[in-house]
Amino acid sequence: MFGLILSTTPAQSRTRGLIKRDFCGYLTIYTELDLEDSKDKRVKVCLRGRELLRNSILNKGSAFTQEEREKLGLDGLLPPHVSTMDQQLARRYANFLECGNDLGKYHFLTDLQNRNETLFYRFCSDHVVETLPYIYTPVVGDASLNFSLHYHHSRGIYIPYDKKDQMETILKNAGKKDVSVIVATDGGRILGLGDVGVGGMTIPIGKTSLYTLFGGVAPESVLPIFLDVGTDNQELLKDPLYMGRREKRITGDDYFAFMDAFVAAVKKVFPKAMLQWEDLLGVHAQKVLDRYRDDILSFNDDIQGTASVVLAGLLSALKMKGSALAEEKIAIFGGGAAGLGVGKSIYRYLIHNGMEEKEARDRIHIIDRNGLTYIGQKNLREEHELFAKEKPSEYDDVISVDETIKCFDITILIGASAQKGAFTEKTIEGLLKNTSTPVVFPLSNPHTKAEATPEMIINVSKGKAIVATGTAFPQVVYKGKVFAIGQCNNVYIFPGIGLFTSAFDIKTIPEEFFYIAGETLSEISPPLLFPEFKNLKEASKQIAFEIAKYAALKGLIKEKDESSILRRIETSMWYPKYFPYD
Ligand code: NAD
């Protein structure tokens, strides 16, 4: 058991904007509006000695002062020199550079996070471009494949199917009280890698870290959760070292009964938490979202976050092109959680902006395993019916992406199929017959699954196409001109959503919030498609602010004026800095 109580000097207690967050029942943290005013802030901790060093939230490592070492039973447990945070950061950066390969860097950062979260987040924000690929895509994908072999530290919560009657107890075991963001997955479809079983836990761990890094949600207030309903990955089932539940995946009514119990337990144990669904199996993703979206504060990042960042990318691309979404014809290759989510979101966005329903529907084309979806198609999936087209009589039963482009004058092509190389040179040439500036977003992750490389698209289009990918790709040089490749990464959106839901008392997340997030992101982006990663915390703040203004207008939150909205957001943001301990 440990405790932390912040005490302030008399002068400080008069500082404006003190808010209180309760954590664990034992620990109370006060955050102040103006961090510069908080120089005299002191923190009372009840942990001592090695227990304090082992607590990743409270640990400061070699930065504990001499006075703290004497008071808190740390004398002799650390090398004598008291380091500044800058010295700690310099050492860690040298260590980071020493790591031989990608997984080495991933594990180095994970270890740092498990030892000292304040230093980890400060390190990652100081080296954001270098560290982001290791905290999240693409390296987190490799880590998910190697999870059982490399597992060495507990983070988050695992709920196996056979413990479905003990969910509340398990959630309480997290030792957290004031959880404001949960990321939960069942590992069904991790990135484009498929069913990786319990290895999927690397994704909620990575995403909760990004809620802290860019959304300013305090590290003690985020919780990654793995819902272990089994795996259908035969190799994992046979692997003697596999650490997940060694049973086939639960499906159908049993799956939903498990999810019902989970949602009920979250509502009870963490009533203020926002629940983000992550990388669920395609057949479950939309159903889970629809089933619980009015019941618990929740959203699905693969569906709604992707749709929002793609909307932002398209709006930015069309600004560069000098066109409008309402003038374009869009084809989406891969009508699963992400692709269909993007399609539906663009459809609703067009209607939201005044287009007739039929026209909006006609502008969006879904291409799945059996080619373009059309009315009367054999095995047409129910969820594809909305966008099913009249079948052009001159084509065979399977209408390919190239035929769709030609027949329906497609100008924007989005890939969310995890089918490497599905867009060929011929595909790009087809688009160029319909428009001088095609917009092509091969979004599938990791890079080994991308539908096309930016290099091919830019070369074939002679530098005309506007390209964004799902994962980082190197810049392309065509005839001496450098093309930076925008990364259509959900990380631009979800931290801002989490910041908003953490700062305000809100019950549900309406679809319009994702339009606002997309529009805001596009507005604050430079002439490139997206802002630079180093500006992500500011971008999240702006997104939270614009959503809150809309929510205030609709009477969804009690704050009314812009200054109290901003103040609410700023006071709820956590920053990685050390405070003196008593
Ligand atoms: P999913 O499994 O739900 O959907 C994939 C879809 O592709 C399915 O409908 C499947 O039938 C279809 N498909 C498979 N083979 C095909 C083929 N040959 N032709 C046409 N369609 C085919 O997965 P998802 O969650 O939608 O994710 C798909 C991909 O998008 C993944 O690689 C994922 O990493 C990526 N993604 C990227 C972003 C982003 O860039 N921001 C966000 C989410 C997902």
Side-chain angles (χ1 to χ4, degrees), residues 137 189-193 207 279-283 285 301-303 305-307 309-310 332-342 367-371 381 383-384 415-419 422 442-446 449-451 469-471 487-491:
T137 56
R189 198 280 298 140
I190 292 299
L191 307 172
L193 300 170
K207 279 211 164 162
D279 282 0
L280 304 180
L281 211 55
V283 287
D301 189 52
D302 305 301
I303 299 173
T306 304
V309 73
V310 171
I332 299 167
F333 187 81
L340 205 58
V342 168
I367 305 163
D368 208 80
R369 287 173 198 273
N370 298 324
R381 274 158 50 186
E383 65 268 30
H384 289 158
S417 64
Q419 300 302 307
L443 295 183
S444 291
N445 289 319
K449 303 281 178 183
E451 286 79 7
T469 51
T471 191
Q487 193 185 340
C488 218
N489 193 321
N490 300 28
V491 74

Side-chain angles (χ1 to χ4, degrees), residues 461-577:
S461 69
K462 301 190 171 57
K464 295 277 193 237
I466 301 175
V467 187
T469 51
T471 191
F473 269 91
Q475 62 184 25
V476 176
V477 182
Y478 175 78
K479 292 203 169 164
K481 189 172 168 197
V482 176
F483 293 81
I485 306 303
Q487 193 185 340
C488 218
N489 193 321
N490 300 28
V491 74
Y492 287 113
I493 300 293
F494 67 79
I497 302 277
L499 171 55
F500 166 76
T501 59
S502 305
F504 297 92
D505 187 15
I506 183 118
K507 299 286 170 255
T508 56
I509 306 182
E511 214 54 49
E512 288 78 9
F513 286 6
F514 294 96
Y515 307 154
I516 293 166
E519 283 175 345
T520 306
L521 182 61
S522 172
E523 273 159 29
I524 61 178
S525 294
L528 294 167
L529 295 186
F530 301 103
E532 290 182 64
F533 283 137
K534 69 176 166 48
N535 297 327
L536 249 165
K537 202 161 186 171
E538 260 321 294
S540 303
K541 200 166 136 187
Q542 189 70 32
I543 286 171
F545 180 61
E546 295 300 330
I547 291 175
K549 280 193 332 197
Y550 175 83
L553 203 69
K554 296 285 170 188
L556 299 173
I557 56 173
K558 65 176 188 301
E559 289 74 8
K560 294 270 174 278
D561 59 291
E562 291 191 7
S563 61
S564 52
I565 286 173
L566 188 61
R567 192 175 122 110
R568 186 84 213 154
I569 291 170
E570 288 182 337
T571 50
S572 76
M573 286 179 92
W574 178 87
Y575 291 86
K577 66 186 272 185

